[in-house]
Amino acid sequence: MMGFVRSNLNMNTKQRLLRFLFYLMSLFPQLLHLLQMFRFKFNSFRKGINNTIITLPQAFSLSSPLPQWPQGQDFASGIVNLGEIEVRKVTGFEFVWNCNIGKPVAFYKPVGIPDGFHILGHYCQPSDKPLWGFVLVVREVEAVSSERSKRDKLPALKNPLDYKLIWCSNAGRRELPIGSAYFWVPQPPEGYSALGYLVTNRPEKPNLDEVICVRADLTDKYQPYRLMLDATSVNPKFPFQVWSLRPCDRGMLGKGVSVGTFFCTNRWNKGEELPVVCLKNLNPMLPAMPHLHQIDALIQHYGPTVFFHPEEVYLPSSVDWFFNNGALLYRKGVCTGEAIDAAGSNLPGGGTNDGEFWIDLPSDDRRDFVKHGDLNSAKLYVHVKPALGGTFTDIAMWVFCPFNGPSTLKIGIKSMAFNRVGEHVSDWEHFTLRVCNFSGELWSIYFSQHSGGKWVDAYELEYINGNKAIVYASKSGHASYPHPGTYIQGSSNFGIGIRNDAGRSNLYVDSSVQYEIVAAEYLGDAVTEPQWLQFMRQWGPKICYDSKTELDKIINTLPRGLRNPFGHLIKKLPVELYGEEGPTGPKEKNNWIGDERW
């Protein structure tokens, strides 16, 4: 009986097992489907990590539509003639690849190329920023092409002979799977140069007609500017870096034209010549630069409002108000100063800053009054000049203050206002609007900050009244900043330096209304430069400060272990702590002809 029961139980168990196996088999298609779904989601996630599926940044546009600019020449026509070739700006892009090593960057292929134009290279920018960039496309000028054929001269443009693979995102692996990124540099024919790289998702070389090379005499040298990607740490055996580029020949007289492409390398030593170049503007007429009416329209549309700090006591004035209220011209070896007329016609013009002449405040009871300026008379003095080979226009706006106030030293959470350190007679500060000559768009603004400054793209600016940006002038020193706050000039890591406090107040100058164009050399005699602009000497006497005594007092209050490190940091602070040369006028600054310090 017991054997029968045991046998029956075994039979029941086997049947249950068989039923369970059949049940699992019936579920197999569903399990397979779930596995495939999981695999798809995993691959989507992996592709996201490998940056073939990402959310692309939105393109930026100015808040207000652009006006109809006054007609004339090729400004805002969409095309710039560089001599034998002409270029257009392309801002439409197709995403190619994204990399999240360090700060994320994305690579794009330009699309929507106008008929007859050719791509010079692909585009790269940080992927956490709004899409705000361009690449130039190029074609040969028809009239020049016809004339060239008569002279049997080499054509301006030719396709590359081949491509060289610079780097692959799967470098070091045996397989090169589809979906990776491949960086190619064109191999130009003899006498021609490549201007950019191509990025693809496949290991096959791009077609030879996908990019064009330019005859070498129509190009100029590039230099690496900002490091955007460094993948060296991920795979040291296969290093890779990506840099933004800028022309070597910049400034008012510079002919270098930025193409908007990038430089990438797996082996490059500083100082080596790059395998890619920029364009050169060989058209002396600069037809895309704005004429006088267009300049007025640009300033009236984009002119920033300059806000001074709520506690500012050393405000700007016009130059003629400064002269009319007793400013004096001094000459070396002569004790008394000479009154300056309103136009500055008795100021010595030209020459160099030889120390023979300088300007000072009135010597009578008006001295303190003049120090505080006159906001009602204040205006921005405008210098208009070509930038990046005439493809952009720089509108440099200079603000004059009769006096620069004393500095404030910041040490950690504490601040100490000096009595005199940092003071000097007269203060010339500026900011620069960079406008795109293809469209008339405001592209960026340079904020001058004492001995340096920075470019800020249009999408990072604050605006007021349409497309007019806001510029914040720092308290006492009048350096310009794009946003309110406290900026440290010195060692920001240690919180030690000169404070630059910026904020909005009811003290402001609207440069779209209160301005005077004082120079635009490319327009010839259209703008008459004032006589005071030719004064190349100092607009204030040299002042020496006994700052060491005040700084020693601070150091002696610190614990002994901190005195030496703090003393070393003090030596890195701005030179105005120890003495201040009288400032020179705008035309004596190196950025008058040269590019801004960036």
Side-chain angles (χ1 to χ4, degrees):
M1 185 70 178
M2 289 296 294
F4 174 78
V5 172
R6 188 180 295 113
S7 176
N8 192 43
L9 286 172
N10 288 339
M11 183 62 68
N12 291 337
T13 302
K14 289 178 181 178
Q15 288 176 345
R16 290 192 188 100
L17 286 173
L18 286 172
R19 288 187 188 125
F20 181 68
L21 287 173
F22 281 118
Y23 175 70
L24 288 177
M25 291 177 66
S26 69
L27 291 176
F28 182 76
Q30 298 178 46
L31 291 171
L32 182 62
H33 177 71
L34 288 172
L35 182 62
Q36 289 173 335
M37 289 292 292
F38 173 76
R39 183 182 177 187
F40 172 78
K41 290 181 179 180
F42 175 77
N43 284 340
S44 296
F45 178 70
R46 181 173 61 82
K47 287 179 181 179
I49 293 175
N50 286 337
N51 312 302
T52 54
I53 299 176
I54 66 165
T55 301
L56 300 181
Q58 294 295 312
F60 170 81
S61 60
L62 294 168
S63 58
S64 297
L66 299 186
Q68 181 66 47
W69 305 113
Q71 297 299 303
Q73 297 194 99
D74 291 336
F75 176 75
S77 67
I79 195 164
V80 176
N81 184 296
L82 303 180
E84 290 191 42
I85 56 177
E86 54 190 13
V87 290
R88 282 186 178 273
K89 184 182 74 171
V90 171
T91 57
F93 296 106
E94 177 184 291
F95 172 75
V96 179
W97 188 66
N98 186 75
C99 183
N100 284 328
I101 299 171
K103 293 184 178 181
V105 293
F107 297 87
Y108 299 86
K109 174 184 177 180
V111 294
I113 312 303
D115 290 342
F117 283 83
H118 305 274
I119 290 175
L120 295 166
H122 287 182
Y123 174 69
C124 173
Q125 73 156 59
S127 52
D128 58 351
K129 303 287 186 182
L131 191 56
W132 180 245
F134 70 92
V135 291
L136 298 186
V137 292
V138 62
R139 73 179 177 190
E140 188 170 2
V141 176
E142 291 184 6
V144 173
S145 176
S146 176
E147 183 65 26
R148 172 190 55 74
S149 62
K150 296 177 184 177
R151 301 194 310 267
D152 197 30
K153 193 176 181 181
L154 289 173
L157 309 173
K158 272 190 178 182
N159 291 124
L161 302 176
D162 198 1
Y163 293 97
K164 179 181 178 182
L165 181 64
I166 299 298
W167 186 77
C168 170
S169 59
N170 287 279
R173 299 181 184 180
R174 291 185 178 181
E175 296 182 357
L176 298 178
I178 295 172
S180 303
Y182 302 84
F183 290 78
W184 309 90
V185 63
Q187 303 297 289
E190 184 177 355
Y192 290 79
S193 298
L195 287 90
Y197 297 80
L198 299 186
V199 187
T200 66
N201 297 125
R202 305 181 65 88
E204 293 82 18
K205 291 181 180 180
N207 294 328
L208 294 178
D209 60 358
E210 282 194 41
V211 72
I212 205 76
C213 298
V214 179
R215 205 174 68 231
D217 61 304
L218 305 179
T219 68
D220 214 338
K221 290 183 179 180
Y222 258 143
Q223 63 180 213
Y225 177 34
R226 288 176 176 155
L227 181 64
M228 293 194 289
L229 170 64
D230 189 354
T232 305
S233 60
V234 177
N235 193 344
K237 291 184 178 180
F238 297 92
F240 185 65
Q241 292 181 331
V242 177
W243 298 75
S244 63
L245 291 164
R246 62 180 182 180
C248 294
D249 186 20
R250 302 186 306 279
M252 184 170 73
L253 305 178
K255 298 182 184 298
V257 173
S258 178
V259 179
T261 54
F262 58 89
F263 166 55
C264 63
T265 178
N266 53 10
R267 289 282 188 273
W268 178 72
N269 296 315
K270 190 175 182 179
E272 288 182 352
E273 195 165 309
L274 304 187
V276 291
V277 296
C278 64
L279 292 174
K280 182 190 292 185
N281 191 349
L282 297 176
N283 187 340
M285 303 304 293
L286 299 176
M289 289 295 295
H291 58 58
L292 205 53
H293 293 306
Q294 292 167 336
I295 293 171
D296 281 318
L298 289 168
I299 295 173
Q300 290 160 18
H301 186 75
Y302 293 124
T305 298
V306 185
F307 283 100
F308 293 86
H309 193 271
E311 299 174 8
E312 182 63 78
V313 294
Y314 301 109
L315 293 165
S317 75
S318 65
V319 170
D320 57 341
W321 181 91
F322 179 57
F323 292 162
N324 281 332
N325 282 275
L328 298 172
L329 172 66
Y330 283 85
R331 182 168 189 154
K332 188 176 180 180
V334 180
C335 296
T336 57
E338 174 188 350
I340 306 170
D341 64 43
S345 59
N346 58 327
L347 293 172
T352 59
N353 183 21
D354 52 13
E356 290 294 318
F357 297 90
W358 64 91
I359 295 173
D360 203 350
L361 295 167
S363 57
D364 53 26
D365 56 3
R366 292 176 295 177
R367 186 176 183 88
D368 189 63
F369 167 72
V370 172
K371 275 186 180 182
H372 297 285
D374 179 66
L375 198 60
N376 291 328
S377 71
K379 63 177 73 171
L380 277 296
Y381 296 100
V382 178
H383 178 210
V384 187
K385 54 183 178 176
L388 299 176
T391 55
F392 286 80
T393 295
D394 275 2
I395 302 175
M397 294 189 147
W398 293 85
V399 60
F400 172 75
C401 296
F403 198 73
N404 190 97
S407 301
T408 297
L409 181 65
K410 187 178 187 299
I411 310 165
I413 61 172
K414 295 183 178 180
S415 295
M416 188 192 78
F418 287 111
N419 291 324
R420 294 192 62 219
V421 174
E423 287 186 347
H424 55 82
V425 175
S426 298
D427 189 25
W428 281 103
E429 299 289 347
H430 80 286
F431 53 89
T432 299
L433 282 65
R434 179 157 287 180
V435 175
C436 175
N437 288 349
F438 292 94
S439 60
E441 289 176 285
L442 174 66
W443 203 254
S444 56
I445 293 182
Y446 180 82
F447 293 82
S448 176
Q449 297 153 5
H450 303 297
S451 57
K454 62 181 292 188
W455 283 104
V456 178
D457 289 327
Y459 61 80
E460 294 182 303
L461 300 170
E462 289 184 31
Y463 292 92
I464 187 171
N465 298 330
N467 293 331
K468 296 178 174 68
I470 295 175
V471 173
Y472 294 92
S474 64
K475 182 175 177 287
S476 296
H478 315 122
S480 57
Y481 294 93
H483 305 288
T486 297
Y487 301 84
I488 302 299
Q489 184 189 3
S491 177
S492 56
N493 290 335
F494 293 93
I496 299 174
I498 300 300
R499 285 183 63 131
N500 289 274
D501 294 296
R504 194 181 296 201
S505 71
N506 60 356
L507 305 171
Y508 63 88
V509 178
D510 181 356
S511 69
S512 70
V513 178
Q514 297 164 267
Y515 72 94
E516 178 185 343
I517 300 172
V518 295
E521 291 88 344
Y522 72 93
L523 289 176
D525 298 332
V527 176
T528 301
E529 297 183 4
Q531 176 61 27
W532 56 259
L533 189 59
Q534 318 310 319
F535 182 66
M536 309 302 284
R537 277 80 172 190
Q538 292 169 343
W539 283 65
K542 181 175 181 178
I543 302 174
C544 293
Y545 308 116
D546 186 18
S547 57
K548 186 177 184 303
T549 301
E550 292 188 72
L551 293 172
D552 283 344
K553 289 179 182 179
I554 298 171
I555 293 173
N556 290 333
T557 63
L558 297 174
R560 289 184 178 275
L562 296 178
R563 291 179 187 178
N564 284 338
F566 184 78
H568 290 302
L569 287 171
I570 287 293
K571 293 178 182 179
K572 297 180 180 181
L573 292 179
V575 294
E576 54 260 39
L577 279 178
Y578 310 105
E580 187 71 60
E581 292 283 351
T584 52
K587 216 167 187 180
E588 186 71 3
K589 311 293 187 185
N590 55 18
N591 66 294
W592 184 267
I593 293 177
D595 196 14
E596 302 288 0
R597 299 177 186 176
W598 49 301

